[in-house]
């Protein structure tokens, strides 16, 4: 064999080994660089995630504070309206209270008895009138006030 070919045959495996080694070194360097890039991206992602979590928590706290303020405002308005309606109910009760007629004889304040054994009703009250207790008027007042406020609240949720 000629000398250049003989040299190529003898040196060929070494050149191939060197080439494969250089290619392996190149790919190893690329893998290390890619791993470093992935680590830096993961760290940046983690920082972004932490910042987003902080922003979300701050927004949630702000929203909860706003809801708490609205709740307190609505409750205060309801309590004020309830006090007003109870006062109006008390005035209505006082002006429409049915008092049994008293017997003037003997200075006693015993109630006169109607033929059925119940206390008599003043002449000004219609015979078909329905008499409701003070507790029932107050219960109806409270329920109606609550219902009206619930309706207003529901109407404000989805206008």
């Amino acid at each position: 064999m000629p000398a250049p070919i003989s040299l190529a045959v003898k040196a060929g495996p070494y050149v191939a080994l060197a080439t494969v080694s250089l290619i392996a070194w190149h790919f190893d360097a690329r893998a290390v660089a890619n791993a470093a890039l992935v680590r830096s991206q993961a760290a940046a992602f983690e920082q972004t995630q932490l910042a987003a979590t902080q922003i979300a928590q701050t927004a949630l706290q702000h929203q909860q504070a706003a809801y708490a303020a609205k709740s307190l405002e609505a409750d205060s308005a309801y309590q004020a309206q309830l006090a007003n309606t109870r006062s109006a109910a008390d005035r209505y009760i006082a002006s429409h209270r049915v008092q049994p007629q008293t017997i003037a004889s003997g200075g006693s304040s015993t109630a006169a008895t109607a033929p059925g054994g119940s206390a008599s009703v003043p002449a000004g009250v219609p015979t078909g009138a329905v008499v409701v207790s003070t507790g029932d008027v107050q219960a109806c007042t409270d329920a109606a006030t609550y219902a009206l406020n619930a309706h207003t609240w529901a109407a404000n949720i989805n206008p």
Side-chain angles (χ1 to χ4, degrees):
M1 262 201 254
I5 294 178
S6 171
L7 179 63
V9 169
K10 289 179 187 174
Y14 297 107
V15 171
L17 181 62
T19 304
V20 168
S21 296
L22 285 173
I23 291 172
W25 174 81
H26 171 73
F27 284 127
D28 180 58
R30 291 300 310 146
V32 169
N34 285 343
L37 179 64
V38 167
R39 276 193 296 277
S40 69
Q41 287 174 342
F45 177 77
E46 187 177 340
Q47 289 297 324
T48 304
Q49 187 76 19
L50 287 174
T53 301
Q54 281 292 91
I55 291 169
Q57 287 176 346
T58 302
L60 180 62
Q61 289 170 351
H62 173 72
Q63 196 67 14
Q64 287 174 338
Y67 285 151
K70 285 181 181 180
S71 174
L72 183 61
E73 180 183 328
D75 190 46
S76 296
Y78 170 72
Q79 292 300 330
Q81 185 177 12
L82 184 61
N84 288 341
T85 55
R86 283 182 177 170
S87 176
D90 288 340
R91 287 191 305 275
Y92 175 83
I93 290 167
S95 67
H96 291 85
R97 187 175 302 275
V98 175
Q99 297 293 331
Q101 293 177 346
T102 57
I103 302 175
S105 62
S108 123
S109 62
T110 358
T113 317
S118 62
S120 65
V121 177
V125 177
T127 57
V130 175
V131 179
V132 179
S133 71
T134 301
D136 287 343
V137 170
Q138 288 295 359
C140 287
T141 300
D142 291 354
T145 302
Y146 180 81
L148 289 172
N149 275 294
H151 178 268
T152 301
W153 174 79
N156 287 336
I157 287 178
N158 191 10

